[in-house]
Amino acid sequence: MSTATVRLSCLAGVALLILALFPAAAAAAPRLDGVIGDHAVVQRGQPILLTGDAGAGETVMVTLAGKTVVVRAGRDGRFSAQLPALPAGGPYDLTIAAASGAVVMRDILIGDVFLCSGQSNMELAVGDAQDLIPDAHPPVDAMLRLLTVAKVAAPAPLARFADTPRWTVAGPASVPGFSAACFYMAQALRRTAGVPIGAIHSSWGGSRISTWMSGTALQDAGLGDDAALLALYARDPAAAKARASALWEQWWRGGSGDRPGAEPWQPAAALDWRAVPAMTNFERWGVPELATYNGMLWYQRTVELTAEQAGGPATLVLGTIDDADQVWVNGRGVGGSSLASQARVYALPAGMLTPGRNVVTVNVDDVYADGGMTGPADSMRLTLADGSSIPLGTDWRYAIARRLPGSAPRVPWDDINGAGTLYNAMIAPLGATRLAGIAWYQGESDTGIPGYDRRLTALIADWRQRFASPDAAFGIVQLSAYGSPSSTPAESGWGSVRDAQRRVAAKDPRAGLAVTLDIGDALDIHPGEKHAVGQRLAQVMRARVYGERVAPAGPAIADARRTPDGGVALRFDGVTGALHARSADRAIGFELCDTAPGTCRYASGRVDGRGVTLPADGRPAVRVRYAWTEAPMTNLSDDTGLPVGTFEIPVE
């Protein structure tokens, strides 16, 4: 008999013994929180905390890898059992038994667990990225396990998932639908770490970082008002919606200077109104100024009602709107959302409609790609209290809105642009899952919103605390290149977010930055080259988790000092070998800047070993920027080919 057969026989015997101790086994077996189940990976080297539900006051016996602990459930049926830290190994069976029943979870590995989260570039699956490389079609790896958390939002933290996500063994059936950046990171770590690896993927395309933050993190990041408004929504949705509409209106008046009663959402607003050609994306109307437009449009429609029709409550159905909307009826706010795939349905209380002329005004904010009110037209209608309805799919007019500084506020209960909604449903239910590291690829939706460094710092600290993993490494993917290349220096929301990501990583001894400027796509916000992203995230983890002698982020700016002749000498850390200006004798992408905005000008640099010198140009230079635009052209990297990422630094 083989060793494996003996071991399996022993495990089966233990399970039968436990079941014999609890002969009243029934369907109501104990249930665990979190995501431990068949094929799971449990973090090695850390105590294993298991919580869940059993019968009130029951004795619960938990056994894993030859370790057993017995605890008693409370009056509410809740139990908590902690097993000692275990070394890498397995597979094992995890048995949880009580008088009410028993459950056995099979094929459990002890290894290193990594959480991958963010927005669409983390969500992009292996099967949707480059697919001709061998790593995209791996054979089964029994020591690599994958788990994807379903996309769900919630106004308050959930104690557990409605449907517990299932672990799968990495192989041809499971890999194509899994996050590409996350998989390639985990695949690379399997080749170097020599232990089982578990990868948990929890992300949602288009999401702002605020949606992934707990109430505590939101408070720490200065977003306590959003957390409070979300809590109000959980208690009183109508009051929260009214407050959110008022805040949006306040934002508009603050940026536009409009006095109350003279705003564009008022029924008599005198804008440059034009007929809406169709309920489709406005880029397809054939209007030249809208062909590539990203910004706000006002839509308006008039509805004539009798006194009987206007006498009660009503429901306003507007179909889908891309990306975000705010809606008013007769100048009174009724709500808003920013989930492009979600049909807008707004309840109108009695008294909002009036006999005669009623005006519906919609502000549509398109921040990326196509936008507008997209219906379908036959679904748009106003349903009245008497059961009748008035079609609203035609006879709209539109006007281009003036541009205001900053980004419009979003309601905090919004799925992907809110505050805490995705943390509540996609992070909190992970419970006491211990982690070796976290990979984060997000920020596109935060460009133009100041304070990203504060939000990211708060999220990192909170997640480490929530997962009881204070030493967890944190790999941050610096935003890639996307958008129109610039010909003159200018302010850049993408540049600001990239620099915030750099600064957060530089201040955290357990963090690292994966720079991706060189593998972006100016025409596609979702560049397909995710294999290199995963490899660079793996390098962060190799340095921070496994202590390998590799740079955690590639070359990174260290300081900038003025030279005797008035130029600027830049010094870089994390350089393997030396720096090189690829395909040129000068490094490009640098800007010398004075204090005020609008004072930056391009400068090319002479590369020398691990430094770059920018010559003086006869004008003041108190700071240096690099790659400070949406889709920068750069050529500076080290011997490994890893590029220098976006930065801004003062000149000492």
Side-chain angles (χ1 to χ4, degrees), residues 381-475:
R381 61 189 62 253
L382 178 67
T383 301
L384 305 168
D386 63 3
S388 64
S389 64
I390 298 174
L392 298 179
T394 58
D395 300 322
W396 287 83
R397 56 182 186 169
Y398 77 94
I400 298 176
R402 78 180 86 171
R403 290 192 179 273
L404 270 57
S407 300
R410 299 287 190 256
V411 293
W413 52 88
D414 188 280
D415 289 18
I416 60 174
N417 293 287
T421 46
L422 302 188
Y423 169 85
N424 292 338
M426 298 176 66
I427 297 297
L430 291 171
T433 301
R434 302 288 181 101
L435 302 172
I438 300 167
W440 179 253
Y441 195 164
Q442 189 277 338
E444 296 93 338
S445 292
D446 282 70
T447 56
I449 306 175
Y452 189 81
D453 54 343
R454 187 176 178 185
R455 297 192 293 279
L456 181 55
T457 299
L459 179 142
I460 293 172
D462 185 69
W463 282 20
R464 283 173 172 157
Q465 188 274 328
R466 300 279 166 176
F467 294 116
S469 303
D471 295 326
F474 207 96

Side-chain angles (χ1 to χ4, degrees), residues 187-202:
Q187 183 187 57
L189 293 176
R190 272 284 302 131
R191 292 168 176 167
T192 59
V195 298
I197 298 290
I200 300 172
H201 168 231
S202 180

Side-chain angles (χ1 to χ4, degrees), residues 150-476:
K151 294 195 287 186
V152 182
L158 302 181
R160 58 160 52 110
F161 295 106
D163 297 309
T164 302
R166 296 180 181 274
W167 289 88
T168 60
V169 176
S174 59
V175 165
F178 194 74
S179 160
C182 189
F183 170 72
Y184 290 129
M185 177 190 74
Q187 183 187 57
L189 293 176
R190 272 284 302 131
R191 292 168 176 167
T192 59
V195 298
I197 298 290
I200 300 172
H201 168 231
S202 180
S203 62
W204 193 327
S207 56
R208 291 183 179 177
I209 189 173
S210 55
T211 61
W212 296 101
M213 300 169 68
S214 71
T216 298
L218 290 167
Q219 290 280 355
D220 292 344
L223 300 175
D225 289 346
D226 289 329
L229 188 54
L230 181 65
L232 175 62
Y233 180 78
R235 301 190 309 270
D236 187 344
K241 290 178 181 178
R243 175 61 178 156
S245 291
L247 289 172
W248 197 100
E249 294 171 0
Q250 180 181 337
W251 169 82
W252 177 270
R253 285 190 289 266
S256 68
D258 290 344
R259 62 176 176 81
E263 307 96 340
W265 58 83
Q266 299 298 337
L271 304 179
D272 182 19
W273 294 111
R274 310 174 196 177
V276 170
M279 281 298 150
T280 59
N281 297 117
F282 54 71
E283 291 87 352
R284 302 174 187 174
W285 289 350
V287 178
E289 59 190 319
L290 296 179
T292 59
Y293 179 73
N294 284 323
M296 289 181 172
L297 254 62
W298 296 101
Y299 289 72
Q300 191 181 87
R301 193 190 193 282
T302 298
V303 181
E304 295 288 337
L305 298 176
T306 66
E308 292 77 13
Q309 289 175 317
T315 300
L316 178 64
V317 181
L318 295 177
T320 55
I321 297 177
D322 193 349
D323 295 304
D325 69 291
Q326 284 290 322
V327 181
W328 296 262
V329 173
N330 297 328
R332 295 170 59 186
V334 300
S337 178
S338 63
L339 189 62
S341 62
Q342 184 181 74
R344 274 37 169 202
V345 180
Y346 297 110
L348 310 183
M352 181 167 281
L353 299 174
T354 61
R357 180 174 181 263
N358 292 264
V359 178
V360 179
T361 304
V362 182
N363 176 280
V364 175
D365 186 9
D366 174 35
V367 298
Y368 162 69
D370 291 343
M373 297 180 65
T374 55
D378 58 7
S379 71
M380 302 169 64
R381 61 189 62 253
L382 178 67
T383 301
L384 305 168
D386 63 3
S388 64
S389 64
I390 298 174
L392 298 179
T394 58
D395 300 322
W396 287 83
R397 56 182 186 169
Y398 77 94
I400 298 176
R402 78 180 86 171
R403 290 192 179 273
L404 270 57
S407 300
R410 299 287 190 256
V411 293
W413 52 88
D414 188 280
D415 289 18
I416 60 174
N417 293 287
T421 46
L422 302 188
Y423 169 85
N424 292 338
M426 298 176 66
I427 297 297
L430 291 171
T433 301
R434 302 288 181 101
L435 302 172
I438 300 167
W440 179 253
Y441 195 164
Q442 189 277 338
E444 296 93 338
S445 292
D446 282 70
T447 56
I449 306 175
Y452 189 81
D453 54 343
R454 187 176 178 185
R455 297 192 293 279
L456 181 55
T457 299
L459 179 142
I460 293 172
D462 185 69
W463 282 20
R464 283 173 172 157
Q465 188 274 328
R466 300 279 166 176
F467 294 116
S469 303
D471 295 326
F474 207 96
I476 303 166

Side-chain angles (χ1 to χ4, degrees), residues 31 52-58 72-80 160:
R31 179 182 177 185
D53 294 313
E58 280 191 320
R72 184 175 295 278
R75 293 181 180 179
D76 58 356
R78 297 290 296 166
F79 71 87
S80 176
R160 58 160 52 110

